[in-house]
Amino acid sequence: MEEALPHRAAELLGDARRVVVLTGAGISAESGVPTFRDDLTGLWARFDARELATAAAFHADPDLVWGWYEWRRTRVRRAEPNPGHLAIAAIEARIPGTTVITQNVDDLHERAGSPAPIHLHGSLFAPRCVAAAAHPATIDDADDADADAPDGEPAQPHDGRRIAPPRCTSCGALVRPGVVWFGEMLPEAAFTAAVEAAAACDLLLAVGTSGVVYPAAEIPRIAARSGAAVIQVNPEPTPLDRVCAVNLRGTAAHVLPSLVAAAWAADPAPRS
Ligand code: BJW
């Protein structure tokens, strides 16, 4: 059961001038996008998401892994931002010095109105050539797993299917998902911007992340070491609990709108 929103959390947000919001898979759970801790279903039921999200899995069986990413891309396209994403966009509108950093590869923050979230782990919608990061690849309608097949059958069945990845139009190598897998470096500019924002903020909200995947898990710790207060929103305890000034044990779609409402209850006009 959710605990009542502590007054301290609303006070911290109401007083903050530079806010960082770090999100993980939990923020999108209430939009119907599974987290990395949920059991996979259908074709992928015997796999662990954390094992499929690897370069080794892609090279061992590209059709299986590309099919999984296409299935996820289809699910995200059909999903809508939830009240948690909307509350984060409201914080940005209210406090201009807000930076949204996400580990998610979906586009639900953008669709909720966040203008430029920093994507630490890439995007489902930016595939690239395996041979050279400099070759971005586009997926045209013919490769769209969500499009209907010529015979009118849905190309992407509910349980998913294996799909051969397209080939790079420049060099013929395989196209891979434009995401960051375990053992790969995060995009340097994104990670640098995230670290700088965390070191300079006065409040960091960590929402829906297990706090175990590095270097993203370092970001709330950087903020705390730099003197910021950290508020966590998660129904479950995480290793981040002990760096947090307040742990709000509830779901993002419930807690964040209440937090925003409570923070500015006495002062509903945005700062100019
Ligand atoms: C709700 C909710 C609701 C549910 N509301 N909440 C230091 C120490 C140890 C290891 C390392 C280290 N530094 C680096 C490493 C290695 C590795 C790592 O961290 N391993 C750990 C597992 C131990 N890191 C890397 O390899 C990174 N690269 C790197 O460090 O490069 C340098 C290097 C190179 C070579 C060698 C060594 C170092 C890259 C990490 C890339 C992570 N990629 C993925 C896949 C992205 C593509 C895809 O989506 O398919 O990113 S893995 C997966 O984990 C995904 C996520 O973004 C990421 C984080 O997960 P997240 O978001 O926290 O989700 P979950 O599912 O874990 O948790 C959900 C949470 O939500 C839970 O807490 C729920 O309770 C909660 N929740 N419903 C609010 N409604």
Side-chain angles (χ1 to χ4, degrees), residues 4-55:
L5 187 68
H7 175 67
R8 177 80 184 127
E11 201 175 55
L12 285 168
L13 180 57
D15 291 345
R17 293 292 178 275
R18 294 174 81 114
V19 176
V20 166
V21 185
L22 171 70
T23 65
I27 182 83
S28 297
E30 286 155 289
S31 294
V33 180
T35 75
F36 284 81
R37 268 123 232 287
D38 294 327
D39 288 339
L40 293 178
T41 57
L43 182 61
W44 299 284
R46 66 194 171 90
F47 298 97
D48 180 324
R50 283 158 289 183
E51 285 164 18
L52 284 178
T54 62

Side-chain angles (χ1 to χ4, degrees), residues 23 27 85 88 100 102 104 106-114 117:
T23 65
I27 182 83
H85 296 102
I88 291 170
V100 176
T102 187
N104 298 343
D106 64 45
D107 61 351
L108 294 176
H109 282 301
E110 286 90 337
R111 286 199 268 139
S114 290

Side-chain angles (χ1 to χ4, degrees), residues 199-227:
C201 71
D202 49 30
L203 175 67
L204 184 141
L205 281 164
V207 182
T209 179
S210 52
V212 297
V213 176
Y214 284 83
E218 199 55 44
I219 287 169
R221 295 177 169 93
I222 291 170
R225 280 200 299 272
S226 307

Side-chain angles (χ1 to χ4, degrees), residues 242-258:
R242 58 199 173 81
V243 302
C244 293
V246 186
N247 282 293
L248 300 173
R249 294 266 187 261
T251 72
H254 281 94
V255 170
L256 287 173
S258 313

Side-chain angles (χ1 to χ4, degrees), residues 137-230:
T138 53
I139 297 179
D140 60 26
D141 286 347
D143 295 320
D144 189 342
D146 200 21
D148 283 349
D151 61 4
E153 288 298 307
Q156 180 67 292
H158 178 71
D159 283 349
R161 66 181 173 102
R162 301 167 65 89
I163 302 175
R167 295 272 167 184
C168 174
T169 48
S170 304
C171 72
L174 287 180
V175 167
R176 57 159 282 178
V179 301
V180 181
W181 284 325
F182 283 119
E184 296 183 331
M185 303 298 286
L186 275 61
E188 196 179 332
F191 187 61
T192 301
V195 168
E196 286 175 1
C201 71
D202 49 30
L203 175 67
L204 184 141
L205 281 164
V207 182
T209 179
S210 52
V212 297
V213 176
Y214 284 83
E218 199 55 44
I219 287 169
R221 295 177 169 93
I222 291 170
R225 280 200 299 272
S226 307
V230 180

Side-chain angles (χ1 to χ4, degrees), residues 16 24 34 75 91 103 190 213 248 262-263:
R75 286 191 69 152
I91 293 171
Q103 299 166 77
V213 176
L248 300 173

